[in-house]
Amino acid sequence: MTAEAVLARPPADAALIAELRSLLGERLSTAAAVREHHGKDESYHPVDPPDAVAFVQSTEEVAAVVSACARHDTPVIPFGTGTSLEGGVAALRGGVCIDMSGMNAILRVSPEDLDVTVQAGVTRKRLNEHLRDTGLFFPIDPGADASIGGMTSTRASGTNAVRYGTMRENVLGLTVVLADGRIIKTGGRARKSAAGYDLTRLFVGAEGTLGVITEITLRLYGIPEAISSAVCPFPTIKDAVDTVITVIQSGIPVARIELLDEVQMSAVVAYSKLDYAVMPTLFFEFHGTPAGVKEQAEMASAIAAEYGGVSFQWAEKPEDRSRLWQARHDAYYAALALRPGSRGWATDVCVPISRLAECIVETKADLAQSSLMAPLVGHVGDGNFHLVYLIDPAKPDEMAEATRLNERMVMRALAMGGTCTGEHGVGYGKMHFLPTEHGEGVSVMRTIKQSLDPRNIMNPGKVIAV
Ligand SMILES: Cc1cc2nc3c(=O)[nH]c(=O)nc-3n(C[C@H](O)[C@H](O)[C@H](O)COP(=O)(O)OP(=O)(O)OC[C@H]3O[C@@H](n4cnc5c(N)ncnc54)[C@H](O)[C@@H]3O)c2cc1C
């Protein structure tokens, strides 16, 4: 269906819309522009607008909206900031989008326990601004200023995960509204618990298919005493990746170790006006005491030199560090600028670290044979890398070629013991890989989905085919 046709579709159920309007007043929108904005993420996937958007302000309101949708058998699609990359917010079957941005309160900070509880619409940058005076920070950093609810739901990670883990390791507890409107709390503030099934981890990464997360308790960390960042170019991508593998296997506790291939470096240098060589390059960051950081940096630079690393170029001042990491975070938009007017098909895989060089080298060999341009970046300390195929979605041959390359890369990663997505999630773009990755495990996932959401109203058409 075209975007125009979907937008022209009448609301699914006038009685439901009337009920939600009496509940939310002006905070229920059926305006075409609002629906369109909420029917797409940052990816190449087409717009699929919901019938209405509910701007909620409390867990109780979410429960009331979900209960009403359940009574009317209407899909519910949670929406954080819409930065996901596999079509997760698309309203494939219409329904009501629940926009969480109005639930943006930081409910409690406990510096003595190193934890915080936030509403799901709080974004990661706002959380860190709020924490600044406490000397604490929340490290998970997917580049985009995503909501904590969305990050929890996609099990996001990013540049710092090699040191601090992903959302999986950093969510302690949740408040969740289930498909029948019940409100449950999972986990808690204790650092460990052996009490029953781990429901927290069931909802982390569920992409809104099992319930709407309204509150999240997170771990916090002390802002490191010393931080040091550097970039180092390499003659070949294999040299750069072998450096990463040796750094990780040596147990050097790097905070960030990011790879940009020569195509991505050319994009970043032009877009962010940086004075770096256009070669495969590693971006490093070290956290700790001044002596600890110095020691880590010396060990890493010695390993880099063994693999032909040209030199460590240090970003000493905080503003230089910010510029460097901003350039890394802008890598996606820099890539798009390589082909003006193109859309980015961003995809990621993750493999055991010992297979990383092989996986990247074979993937680059595929790209060399292809007509498509696809810069490569990676959170390589975790064995995770991304490609952005620069495509014109209106050209079937380009879509077919991107599909072919993506299938080959994912199958390669799976054959190496890896996963079809390290952090972007499944949405509907990667659903078809799940049976290969999880086998019979998918039927257990389906059983869980059907028992928690028997009417299949929670973000239908995503993650698990029901
Ligand atoms: C330039 C760029 C760089 C990126 N880099 C990274 C990266 O390095 N690492 C990484 O992990 N990701 C990365 N991403 C992807 C993206 O930022 C993450 O997927 C992010 O976690 C999504 O958060 P969001 O608030 O935008 O969620 P949305 O896109 O709004 O939603 C994502 C999914 O979660 C569901 N959802 C949202 N909120 C809730 C809720 N409260 N309860 C239940 N379900 C909910 C939605 O229905 C949807 O299925 C990048 C994206 C961009 C555009």
Side-chain angles (χ1 to χ4, degrees):
M1 206 183 302
T2 64
E4 292 71 26
V6 176
L7 283 169
R9 189 176 53 200
D13 188 329
L16 171 64
I17 300 298
E19 184 177 342
L20 294 179
R21 185 148 285 134
S22 74
L23 181 74
L24 300 171
E26 299 273 292
R27 288 188 286 112
L28 184 82
S29 177
T30 52
V34 175
R35 290 163 54 210
E36 186 164 7
H37 169 70
H38 287 82
K40 70 180 287 296
D41 57 18
E42 291 266 339
S43 71
Y44 69 97
H45 292 287
V47 63
D48 253 312
D51 297 309
V53 181
F55 292 89
V56 293
Q57 292 182 340
S58 68
T59 298
E60 290 67 30
E61 270 188 3
V62 172
V65 171
V66 173
S67 299
C69 288
R71 280 197 305 280
H72 291 265
D73 260 333
T74 297
V76 173
I77 308 102
F79 186 97
T81 63
T83 66
S84 51
L85 296 167
E86 288 296 349
V89 298
L92 299 177
R93 298 176 198 170
V96 175
C97 170
I98 301 190
D99 182 309
M100 303 299 291
S101 61
M103 290 189 66
N104 61 0
I106 293 162
L107 300 171
R108 179 193 59 79
V109 184
S110 300
E112 60 283 8
D113 291 316
L114 298 167
D115 67 23
V116 63
T117 300
V118 301
Q119 289 186 316
V122 170
T123 66
R124 65 172 188 90
K125 283 190 183 167
R126 186 167 123 61
L127 174 59
N128 277 323
E129 275 154 25
H130 183 90
L131 292 171
R132 190 162 293 145
D133 292 341
T134 65
L136 301 175
F137 80 120
F138 178 64
I140 311 303
D141 166 18
D145 190 20
S147 70
I148 299 295
M151 289 168 60
T152 303
S153 299
T154 56
R155 210 182 290 131
S157 47
T159 57
N160 278 318
V162 64
R163 172 74 177 263
Y164 298 96
T166 70
M167 290 305 280
R168 183 181 61 189
E169 287 78 28
N170 286 288
V171 173
L172 292 170
L174 298 170
T175 302
V176 185
V177 174
L178 300 179
D180 57 8
R182 271 180 300 162
I183 299 169
I184 61 163
K185 288 193 183 289
T186 74
R189 292 182 55 208
R191 283 298 162 123
K192 58 187 215 180
S193 166
Y197 296 159
D198 189 345
L199 294 182
T200 304
R201 250 134 293 274
L202 181 62
F203 290 96
V204 174
E207 301 187 34
T209 61
L210 299 179
V212 183
I213 296 168
T214 59
E215 293 178 9
I216 303 113
T217 296
L218 300 166
R219 285 170 183 252
L220 299 176
Y221 297 80
I223 295 173
E225 198 186 334
I227 300 178
S228 171
S229 303
V231 301
C232 181
F234 289 81
T236 69
I237 198 151
K238 183 165 186 316
D239 293 322
V241 182
D242 284 339
T243 298
V244 175
I245 294 171
T246 310
V247 165
I248 297 298
Q249 288 173 343
S250 308
I252 301 169
V254 276
R256 292 166 156 170
I257 184 164
E258 297 281 307
L259 171 70
L260 288 76
D261 77 349
E262 67 288 353
V263 187
Q264 184 66 64
M265 277 309 283
S266 74
V268 163
V269 163
Y271 187 86
S272 301
K273 306 193 174 30
L274 297 177
D275 185 19
Y276 294 138
V278 175
M279 295 167 72
T281 299
L282 292 177
F283 286 30
F284 290 90
E285 189 163 278
F286 307 99
H287 292 178
T289 61
V293 160
K294 185 165 175 286
E295 186 187 32
Q296 291 172 43
E298 282 171 1
M299 288 164 71
S301 82
I303 292 169
E306 278 175 36
Y307 289 101
V310 177
S311 66
F312 263 46
Q313 197 172 330
W314 293 98
E316 307 278 6
K317 296 188 226 139
E319 57 270 28
D320 292 341
R321 275 205 311 274
S322 302
R323 197 158 162 252
L324 190 156
W325 290 109
Q326 190 57 47
R328 166 62 190 88
H329 285 143
D330 288 340
Y332 179 65
Y333 303 103
L336 293 179
L338 283 177
R339 184 181 172 195
S342 64
R343 296 297 304 264
W345 174 331
T347 179
D348 81 307
V349 292
C350 189
V351 293
I353 192 84
S354 64
R355 307 298 299 271
L356 184 62
E358 202 182 343
C359 194
I360 288 182
V361 166
E362 288 181 21
T363 300
K364 291 272 294 174
D366 263 7
L367 285 170
Q369 304 292 319
S370 167
S371 55
L372 281 190
M373 193 175 354
L376 184 150
V377 293
H379 310 307
V380 276
D382 296 320
N384 180 209
F385 69 93
H386 307 218
L387 288 180
V388 181
Y389 305 112
L390 301 177
I391 50 164
D392 176 352
K395 294 196 171 142
D397 57 327
E398 293 192 12
M399 289 298 286
E401 177 63 349
T403 304
R404 186 187 72 82
L405 291 168
N406 196 40
E407 300 277 329
R408 279 179 62 82
M409 181 177 74
V410 169
M411 290 308 166
R412 178 176 301 122
L414 294 180
M416 292 178 176
T419 173
C420 68
T421 172
E423 57 181 29
H424 290 168
V426 174
Y428 69 94
K430 284 193 166 165
M431 279 173 74
H432 62 295
F433 294 124
L434 256 55
T436 312
E437 181 163 340
H438 294 301
E440 196 53 28
V442 174
S443 68
V444 177
M445 293 184 198
R446 188 173 296 113
T447 304
I448 292 170
K449 164 77 176 166
Q450 286 170 329
S451 89
L452 286 179
D453 181 18
R455 293 182 163 129
N456 192 22
I457 62 165
M458 297 307 310
N459 208 1
K462 315 291 169 57
V463 186
I464 299 289
V466 178

